[in-house]
Every structure is written in C-alpha cells, then in structure tokens.
Amino acid sequence: MVRRAGRGWHGRVLAAAVGVTAVAAATSVWTAQAGPVEERPARADASAHSSAPNARPQPRGGSPVSADIAHASDRGTRGVNITIDDGPDPVWTPQVLRVLRENGVKATFCMVGTQARSHPDLVKAVVAAGHRLCDHTVSHDTTMATKSQTYQSQQILDAERMITEASGGVRPLYYRAPGGAFTPYSRRLAASRGMRPLGWNVDSKDFERPGTAAVIATVKKEISNGPTVLFHDAGGDRSQSVAALREVLPWLKQQGYSFGFPVR
C-alpha cells in the first residue's frame, strides 16, 4: 500500500469530522491500491463490541446484502462499473457529472460523509442523474482497520446518516472502506444496513496525477482484471481524472463494454 502524507484536504476533512464522531480526530493518510485488497482484522475489543452504537443494527429500506466484497457488474462479463471516490467536490463533481451525462454512463459515487454534509446540492444532483451512492466513511481514515469496532461503527453509520440526509432520503447502497481497509466486522455491519461492501479491480491511479495519458493507459491495460474501475472527484486537482474519463468512456464502448452498477 502506497501511503501519502501531508494531504491538506484530508486534514480539513478530519478536522470537520471531530464534531461528528468522538474519535474522528485521529490522523490518517490517503492511499490508493491496485488489485485485490487483503483484508485485515480489527483489533480485538470485546468491550467496544458490546457497547458499539448500533453494533447489531436492523437494516433499513431492504434486506441485508452479502458481506462479501463485490467486484462484479450487474451487466455481466462485458459490464464495467465506474466508481468515483472521495467527493462530492464543488469544482470537480459537476465536471465528472457532465462527462458521464455526455456519454450516457451511470456511476457509483463513494462519498465521504463530511463532504456530503457540506455539499448536499451535489449529492442531490448525483441522485437526480441516476447514479448510485456509496458510503466511504466520515473522514476517510485508511487506518480504521486497526481501530476498535466502536470507531468503525461511528465512521460507517455516521457517514450513512450524513449521506442519506444530504441526498434528501436516498440511502447509500454500497460501502467502500478507505484504502481497502475492510474488516470482517465492518463488512458485516455495512451489509446489515443494506450496503454491499465494494472493492475495485482497476485503480486508474488518477489520485497520483501521473498525467492524463498515464491514467488512460492504466485503465486500458488493466480493464481485463475486472469490471470495477476506480476514479476520484475530490482530494485535490482532479482535472486529469475528468480528462481521462472523457477519453476512456468512449473507448470502453468501442471495445464492446456496457456500463452498469456493482452487483448487490
């Protein structure tokens, strides 16, 4: 896992999360990770498990889904799932939405809770355009797999509430752990809320800003790894992400792919 320190935007997200969850002031760094993610167990914490808020919640708005990490597309073997992480962002999310609309593509937006709370108009715009929502935790703490179950619950459930409120009542259908930091507990908790744990097959590496051509080349090279492709619409300058999507989406269509959503 590549660790990145000194992300000013992420520091502001953590600071904003202090008032939402008692332990969200813990520092963390962004990560991007290609390929399968190795699951790491959470630290044993029997007392936290017994006292965790909604540790055994009843699902709302539907039956529990599988706790297995989803990668497949509901469009079958030639389907592609475009997933957009870390927003919404007032500069980049509208541009991403525009490119998706121009290409007739629906995507899954994995939103950070504090970002959703700060930009409810954008959350509503994502929903109105027919895209799906995904819980990406309150503060994008990539170390949360090492934290107590109480902490994991707060990060997941508070973000679920913030995203749902910002959307006007539309709930996230998926849960993506920051940096792939899933645990058995976090997967079961998300699934019990009707949110399917969501992985990825292709990391476009757009977060690293290697250049638009490099992002496009990565997607073209790795799309054979599987259907779920990771892009970003926040966390810094995402102009390369927008430009890459503008070229990648028509290319995928030319290759005979269709666009869908991750399986539920």
Side-chain angles (χ1 to χ4, degrees):
M1 181 178 288
V2 179
R3 297 186 179 273
R4 299 177 181 83
R7 299 290 186 187
W9 181 86
H10 184 217
R12 291 194 295 273
V13 170
L14 280 174
V18 169
V20 178
T21 176
V23 285
T27 56
S28 64
V29 293
W30 291 110
T31 65
Q33 180 172 332
V37 178
E38 180 179 355
E39 184 172 275
R40 294 163 290 176
R43 186 173 56 201
D45 190 341
S47 62
H49 177 76
S50 62
S51 62
N54 298 318
R56 298 291 185 186
Q58 295 299 313
R60 296 181 302 168
S63 301
V65 296
S66 172
D68 293 338
I69 298 173
H71 294 89
S73 174
D74 64 4
R75 296 301 295 269
T77 57
R78 297 297 288 177
V80 171
N81 308 319
I82 300 297
T83 63
I84 313 291
D85 280 21
D86 301 352
D89 179 274
V91 174
W92 305 111
T93 301
Q95 295 186 45
V96 169
L97 286 172
R98 186 178 306 115
V99 173
L100 293 171
R101 182 176 66 251
E102 290 169 352
N103 287 275
V105 173
K106 304 302 181 186
T108 300
F109 283 76
C110 300
M111 296 185 174
V112 174
T114 50
Q115 292 293 106
R117 184 180 63 180
S118 296
H119 306 291
D121 56 328
L122 293 177
V123 182
K124 292 180 176 68
V126 166
V127 171
H131 307 292
R132 289 186 178 179
L133 301 176
C134 171
D135 180 333
H136 205 30
T137 74
V138 171
S139 60
H140 200 288
D141 182 354
T142 60
T143 70
M144 65 181 287
T146 68
K147 306 290 180 63
S148 71
Q149 291 175 351
T150 298
Y151 181 85
Q152 294 177 57
S153 294
Q154 290 168 329
Q155 284 285 309
I156 295 168
L157 300 181
D158 283 356
E160 178 194 15
R161 174 181 53 79
M162 295 163 81
I163 293 167
T164 301
E165 290 177 354
S167 72
V170 178
R171 300 179 59 249
L173 297 180
Y174 307 93
Y175 163 66
R176 174 172 278 169
F182 289 100
T183 68
Y185 174 78
S186 68
R187 290 191 293 105
R188 290 193 303 269
L189 175 63
S192 76
R193 306 292 288 186
M195 297 184 293
R196 179 75 185 265
L198 177 59
W200 63 85
N201 306 102
V202 181
D203 183 351
S204 70
K205 299 299 176 86
D206 65 326
F207 197 92
E208 300 175 9
R209 290 182 289 180
T212 300
V215 175
I216 294 169
T218 296
V219 175
K220 290 182 176 181
K221 177 182 177 181
E222 297 187 7
I223 192 62
S224 60
N225 293 342
T228 302
V229 186
L230 171 63
F231 281 94
H232 295 82
D233 64 343
D237 184 340
R238 299 273 71 93
S239 57
Q240 293 179 16
S241 305
V242 174
L245 279 167
R246 188 171 285 115
E247 294 196 35
V248 162
L249 298 181
W251 179 84
L252 287 168
K253 289 182 180 180
Q254 292 168 7
Q255 305 309 303
Y257 290 102
S258 59
F259 296 91
F261 295 110
V263 294
R264 294 258 301 148

